[in-house]
Amino acid sequence: MTTQTIPLAPEAPATTAGPVPKTRRLLAVAVVSGALTVLLSALMPLAPVTINDPTVNWPADASAPRSSMLALSAYRPFEMDVRFGCSTVRTAQAAGGVVFATVNPSDPAQGLVVKAENGRLLVSGVTALNEPVPPGNCGYEIRGDRAGLSILRDGTEIGRSATMPDVHVLATSITSLSTPDLSARIRVDDQFSTSPTPFKIVLMVLLALSAATAFACLVLLDRRVHREPGRFRLRLSPVDLVVPAIMVLWVFLAPMSDDDGYYSAMAKNVPFEGYVGNYYQILNQGFTPFSWFYYFLAKWQVFGFAPVVLRIPALLFGLVTWFAARRYVSGKFSGVVLGAAFLAWWLPLDMGVRPEGVVTMCGMLTLLAVTTAVERQRLALLGAAVGVAGIGFFAHPTGFTTLAPLLAGLPFAWKLLTKDAGWRTVVARTLAVLSPGAVAMIMAFGDGSLRDFLYAQEIFKKMAGSESWYTEFARWMFLLNQGDAMANYAKRAPVLVCVVALVWFVVLVTAARARRIDVPPRLALAGWSTMFAFFLLWFTPSKWTHHFGSLAGIGSVFLSLMLLSAVPLIRELTTDRRVPVPVLLGGLVSVVAMLGLAGHGANKWPYSWHLGLPSAGVPPHLSVLKFDKPYWWLLLIAIVAFVLYRRGRGSYAPVIAIPIVIVLFFAANITYLVGGFAVATARTLNTWSPWAASVQDPLARRCVAADAIDVATPRPLTPLPDRWFAIQNDEIATVVTGKPTPVTYEYATSNAQVLSTGVLTDNVDSTLRRTLVLPPAPAGATQVRLTGEGLFTAPAAQKYQPLREFLPRESAVGVAWQIAFLFPCQRQPRIQDGVIEPISYAVQWGDTQWLGLNDATWQPVRGALFGDVLSSQEVTALPARLRDFPGAYPIQVYQTKPRYEAGQYTVTHDRQTRMGWEGVR
């Protein structure tokens, strides 16, 4: 690697201070504390934890059983034991037929349904049994565990299943028993809910102390070598005020990121379940070891759930990243160039509650620490770099990228570790430098274990699958997909320009090495760090484009240094002669082509209604000036080159023009992005938009989107003879369910003279109760009638009211993850002790009433949060609209009614202490 041959700074003369014995003792302490830190870090995932082991006991009153809702987040219980006698079977037959069921009795599917019919016991679902009920007394038992399910009569097995049933309800037709022998014991799988044992707490304390001791040794070792003290001078230029000001403004104007609703919902449930779970799907599998960021976000939410409030951490991470980058990049015009590159990368990718913001901060701090450590020959700074990289590493799988500066700086770091030292000293220094990384192990496994990680991966791969390094092309396909919001122009711009810059960086470094010309050291480190960061993204288990936000720090630093240093380096390589024509043409073609490709991304943002946004859904343009036309950028380069040539830049004018135009391109993207949403805000101040709401109501006292959406509830019409109903001025609708059987409507005058007729159907076959709205009544019509063969309700008037008033504050509302960020006032259903709270309402993302329930979070095969709702509740779709914006928007509102009451059982809590590699027994 080229950077191995480039010294970052001339070595200052060093003199050792203090007696040698003291240094030896210090090295001995460093070895012991460092080795202890490494050992204890390795023990962290294996240390014992206490696992929550709840058990549901049903019924609460054995003599008067009551059916109950009981949706398990793991779907299947860890163990179950159901018991009932033959007399109970006969009682059930007289009461309606259901002895016991874990799912809707009419839809056994993956559950368990036990019925009594014609003197026979019928079992369906995951297993089947059909046998006559013996006369007299007898006892049935259904036992299940990880080995499967067995049915016994009087201790003899009469049926078996290899799988356990799903549990969504505990149902029976029986309401009273003279002999209370019906019972169910459901041991809930809540294995991810763990807490550290006293032993593990002591382990963490010792680990922290040993790491602190090792780091202190680094500081003392550094002090024993006299060097020129570093000079820290805080010089603020106008750009240091402008860039943070734009970032603060963006807190209010920014659209949602791809997963703001998803990740904020995950954090919101942490106080109830006690661990960071997937929440919406995948059986609420845990996120160990990438969970500390969500614990932090859960704590931050005590300040509120308003979008502006939840974006403040991202702002703080961004500000730290910016000022660290400013410390890294210096020189003439550096502030302007870095500001353009940084904002172009950070604004579209890092404003939200996703972890990429903290990852990019840690990556930038790591790069700065590594560079400064080598420049000033400071071991403590190298240790700090390892610690910060570890924190970023365990924030999210994209945290792998924080290792990039360590890999790029490894040759320099090794020289520092081995300088004037024997192997014992090298070992001591190395162990001490690695020790700060132990902080990350505490954050990663303080509340989790190795078993949590392995079990979560097992669930995820089985239910969702994961990408691998060889499917990295999928990320780039998303980035270049014109119809996808993940490929918008603002996300494309920094990434694609960076790819071109990396290609030319390699060319320049290779040419410089061939001619023994020194590459600017900070450019070299930033360039290789950025390249390694792109490489490390290959190993992330998903391939979304928002992961590029993790590179906003080191990537923007590299871009700015490349733009600032390329021309001087080319001058040196060509010894102030003409640039070879093939090289110049290659640079021009690659740059203008990539600028055009970046500008071809649409002005489209994830799960956004784009209210008031100019030119939404199309590539950015200003009149005839279109960002996706390469010839405009080529023309701009020619104009700038001409001006530079006239100012005496000679044959280098085209070379100088290229970085200038790239900076102008970034500035144009920033202006179009921020300016576009500023215009959208101004246009919607008198109506509504998420950005206008953030400006006018930053604390979300009016509940953001819930204040802008109207929902219709039915009001009965006055019945008239012959199935006619008197109409009002409101919209009229009917509720249909089942198969898509057409419903015929007729409008008539008061004497039943029909004025118009038509047919309603939605071509949907579902148990969902769909609301179909009739066309407006013709002039003179005073009554309406519906006829048909399907299941439909009488016509009703639709009364609209704000959703904020319709949804009770105390009720659990299932809000779609795509838009949950915009509904801070709605209380989401809680998952606690592995049990999902039933919802009363739902607000979902979808173009039609049926598509609103077609998301993965409603699909049982995805282990979804709402996977049981359609089968265990009566769900009615209600017409909804954005009040001030006529037209179709993908927003659907539902009212749900559970088939049974909730909480008709008792819960007992046990705790099991297991080693970190063990699960519940």
Side-chain angles (χ1 to χ4, degrees):
M1 185 170 62
T2 304
T3 53
Q4 293 178 356
T5 64
I6 305 172
L8 282 182
E11 294 185 2
T15 58
T16 303
V20 174
K22 288 187 177 181
T23 301
R24 289 177 177 173
R25 286 197 293 270
L26 197 59
L27 289 172
V29 174
V31 168
V32 173
S33 59
L36 185 61
T37 300
V38 173
L39 175 62
L40 296 178
S41 295
L43 292 177
M44 277 294 296
L46 308 177
V49 293
T50 301
I51 306 175
N52 188 33
D53 188 16
T55 299
V56 170
N57 298 284
W58 176 89
D61 184 349
S63 61
R66 293 290 182 270
S67 297
S68 179
M69 303 294 293
L70 181 70
L72 304 185
S73 61
Y75 275 54
R76 294 173 180 171
F78 192 72
E79 290 180 355
M80 68 182 301
D81 187 346
V82 181
R83 304 186 182 201
F84 52 89
C86 289
S87 62
T88 298
V89 176
R90 288 186 279 270
T91 301
Q93 179 172 323
V98 178
V99 180
F100 175 77
T102 65
V103 293
N104 182 355
S106 63
D107 184 19
Q110 299 300 314
L112 176 71
V113 176
V114 181
K115 289 185 176 181
E117 185 177 315
N118 298 324
R120 303 183 70 84
L121 185 72
L122 309 177
V123 180
S124 57
V126 295
T127 187
L129 177 68
N130 185 337
E131 74 158 20
V133 179
N137 294 326
C138 68
Y140 285 96
E141 184 178 358
I142 303 175
R143 292 197 307 236
D145 54 26
R146 284 170 292 184
L149 189 75
S150 59
I151 306 174
L152 300 92
R153 177 176 23 86
D154 294 333
T156 301
E157 185 175 288
I158 56 175
R160 186 163 185 82
S161 169
T163 59
M164 291 279 278
D166 291 350
V167 175
H168 301 315
V169 300
L170 300 176
T172 184
S173 299
I174 303 169
T175 56
S176 63
L177 284 172
S178 55
T179 304
D181 62 352
L182 173 62
S183 66
R185 179 180 172 272
I186 307 294
R187 191 174 169 205
V188 181
D189 186 352
D190 196 30
Q191 295 186 64
F192 291 110
S193 182
T194 62
S195 57
T197 59
F199 175 85
K200 189 166 187 176
I201 293 173
V202 172
L203 179 67
M204 287 188 284
V205 172
L206 292 176
L207 177 56
L209 290 175
S210 62
T213 302
F215 185 75
C217 290
L218 291 177
V219 174
L220 294 175
L221 286 170
D222 284 339
R223 287 184 177 180
R224 291 185 176 275
V225 179
H226 295 292
R227 300 181 179 90
E228 278 294 319
R231 296 179 180 179
F232 177 76
R233 290 175 291 182
L234 182 63
R235 292 180 177 178
L236 294 179
S237 65
V239 74
D240 292 308
L241 301 177
V242 172
V243 170
I246 293 174
M247 294 169 69
V248 171
L249 178 63
W250 195 236
V251 172
F252 298 89
L253 302 185
M256 292 183 295
S257 72
D258 300 64
D259 288 315
D260 280 345
Y262 203 116
Y263 282 21
S264 59
M266 285 170 51
K268 195 180 293 186
N269 194 66
V270 167
F272 304 102
E273 185 63 298
Y275 72 91
V276 177
N278 201 300
Y279 185 70
Y280 276 109
Q281 56 175 336
I282 319 297
L283 306 179
N284 198 32
Q285 44 98 222
F287 263 50
T288 300
F290 308 107
S291 55
W292 75 260
F293 175 79
Y294 305 95
Y295 284 114
F296 161 77
L297 187 59
K299 296 294 185 182
W300 181 264
Q301 288 178 338
V302 301
F303 298 110
F305 304 107
V308 170
V309 173
L310 294 182
R311 284 172 174 160
I312 291 176
L315 172 65
L316 298 177
F317 300 145
L319 290 173
V320 172
T321 306
W322 163 249
F323 286 108
R326 285 287 282 145
R327 287 281 296 164
Y328 195 91
V329 180
S330 61
K332 193 176 182 181
F333 305 118
S334 62
V336 174
V337 176
L338 177 62
F342 176 74
L343 288 177
W345 204 316
W346 187 85
L347 291 177
L349 286 161
D350 287 305
M351 176 51 75
V353 300
R354 285 191 56 87
E356 280 79 10
V358 72
V359 172
T360 199
M361 178 188 72
C362 291
M364 185 61 243
L365 291 174
T366 301
L367 176 61
L368 180 61
V370 169
T371 305
T372 309
V374 177
E375 288 177 346
R376 297 184 57 200
Q377 299 290 285
R378 296 294 186 185
L379 293 169
L381 286 174
L382 200 57
V386 173
V388 173
I391 293 172
F393 181 90
F394 286 117
H396 189 259
T398 57
F400 298 166
T401 59
T402 61
L403 301 181
L406 297 177
L407 294 175
L410 187 59
F412 301 127
W414 181 247
K415 288 182 180 180
L416 177 57
L417 290 169
T418 58
K419 182 181 178 182
D420 301 327
W423 69 268
R424 291 184 179 85
T425 302
V426 173
V427 171
R429 290 174 176 176
T430 302
L431 288 173
V433 164
L434 294 177
S435 293
V439 176
M441 293 300 291
I442 294 174
M443 300 173 75
F445 290 100
D447 194 40
S449 65
L450 177 64
R451 161 70 176 177
D452 290 340
F453 171 70
L454 296 177
Y455 188 36
Q457 294 304 303
E458 177 185 337
I459 293 172
F460 188 86
K461 290 180 179 179
K462 184 183 300 182
M463 305 201 72
S466 60
E467 302 286 351
S468 185
W469 65 270
Y470 50 79
T471 57
E472 178 65 11
F473 67 89
R475 192 190 320 273
W476 297 91
M477 290 176 63
F478 280 130
L479 187 67
L480 299 177
N481 182 358
Q482 174 64 14
D484 201 311
M486 287 196 295
N488 67 50
Y489 72 96
K491 291 184 178 182
R492 284 186 181 190
V495 177
L496 296 182
V497 172
C498 189
V499 169
V500 172
L502 283 171
V503 172
W504 285 105
F505 166 76
V506 173
V507 171
L508 289 177
V509 167
T510 303
R513 183 171 186 176
R515 300 193 179 190
R516 298 190 177 184
I517 295 173
D518 287 343
V519 175
R522 290 198 171 196
L523 169 62
L525 262 184
W528 292 118
S529 295
T530 304
M531 186 169 291
F532 287 147
F534 274 104
F535 174 76
L536 289 168
L537 270 184
W538 284 17
F539 298 96
T540 53
S542 57
K543 303 300 178 183
W544 311 119
T545 61
H546 41 251
H547 292 166
F548 287 122
S550 300
L551 281 61
I554 59 177
S556 60
V557 160
F558 161 67
L559 279 174
S560 60
L561 287 174
M562 187 67 180
L563 295 173
L564 291 166
S565 305
V567 173
L569 189 56
I570 290 173
R571 279 184 177 277
E572 194 171 357
L573 286 168
T574 58
T575 61
D576 278 336
R577 297 176 182 176
R578 290 181 179 274
V579 178
V581 173
V583 175
L584 180 59
L585 288 177
L588 288 172
V589 171
S590 61
V591 169
V592 298
M594 203 60 85
L595 296 186
L597 184 60
H600 192 59
N603 188 14
K604 183 183 293 186
W605 298 88
Y607 313 112
S608 175
W609 297 311
H610 301 117
L611 302 176
L613 186 65
S615 303
V618 298
H621 63 278
L622 296 171
S623 186
V624 297
L625 300 176
K626 298 183 178 180
F627 287 28
D628 62 346
K629 302 303 180 185
Y631 51 76
W632 287 118
W633 301 110
L634 183 61
L635 177 61
L636 183 57
I637 291 174
I639 293 172
V640 174
F642 177 76
V643 172
L644 292 172
Y645 182 82
R646 294 297 299 269
R647 289 178 174 269
R649 299 297 181 180
S651 62
Y652 284 92
V655 179
I656 301 172
I658 290 176
I660 291 176
V661 169
I662 290 176
V663 173
L664 292 175
F665 170 76
F666 285 151
N669 272 271
I670 296 165
T671 303
Y672 199 89
L673 174 61
V674 179
F677 280 96
V679 169
T681 302
R683 286 179 175 179
T684 54
L685 284 175
N686 294 326
T687 53
W688 183 86
S689 68
W691 18 97
S694 292
V695 170
Q696 295 176 312
D697 183 23
L699 298 181
R701 300 189 187 280
R702 295 192 62 81
C703 302
V704 195
D707 188 46
I709 296 172
D710 286 336
V711 61
T713 54
R715 301 291 188 272
L717 299 176
T718 303
L720 301 173
D722 200 19
R723 294 187 295 172
W724 289 96
F725 291 84
I727 63 176
Q728 304 171 0
N729 294 327
D730 302 301
E731 285 184 346
I732 300 173
T734 182
V735 176
V736 301
T737 189
K739 295 183 178 180
T741 306
V743 178
T744 301
Y745 65 86
E746 298 174 281
Y747 285 114
T749 61
S750 56
N751 60 2
Q753 179 183 354
V754 176
L755 299 179
S756 68
T757 186
V759 175
L760 297 173
T761 185
D762 61 358
N763 297 316
V764 173
D765 185 358
S766 171
T767 57
L768 171 66
R769 292 165 51 84
R770 293 100 60 195
T771 298
L772 303 183
V773 179
L774 279 64
T782 61
Q783 51 188 352
V784 65
R785 181 170 63 181
L786 301 179
T787 56
E789 297 180 357
L791 298 175
F792 60 91
T793 63
Q798 300 297 294
K799 297 288 185 180
Y800 282 90
Q801 62 177 311
L803 187 62
R804 178 168 61 92
E805 299 175 5
F806 174 73
L807 295 175
R809 284 273 186 146
E810 67 278 3
S811 296
V813 181
V815 182
W817 64 269
Q818 294 92 335
I819 51 176
F821 199 58
L822 300 180
F823 291 84
C825 296
Q826 276 56 68
R827 185 176 72 78
Q828 69 183 34
R830 296 167 180 165
I831 303 179
Q832 192 165 10
D833 289 327
V835 177
I836 304 170
E837 178 185 15
I839 60 174
S840 300
Y841 303 88
V843 181
Q844 295 294 305
W845 176 271
D847 292 316
T848 65
Q849 294 175 353
W850 171 242
L851 288 178
L853 305 181
N854 203 36
D855 182 76
T857 58
W858 290 77
Q859 297 176 12
V861 294
R862 295 280 296 189
L865 176 67
F866 308 120
D868 71 300
V869 173
L870 285 173
S871 62
S872 62
Q873 300 194 44
E874 181 184 272
V875 183
T876 303
L878 305 175
R881 65 190 183 191
L882 278 173
R883 184 184 312 116
D884 297 316
F885 296 90
Y889 289 89
I891 186 77
Q892 306 295 330
V893 177
Y894 306 89
Q895 188 166 13
T896 67
K897 181 181 179 183
R899 296 180 184 274
Y900 313 109
E901 296 179 69
Q904 299 301 304
Y905 51 79
T906 59
V907 180
T908 57
H909 294 86
D910 293 320
R911 309 287 292 181
Q912 293 195 25
T913 299
R914 293 287 178 264
M915 298 303 294
W917 61 87
E918 295 179 316
V920 175
R921 295 175 185 170

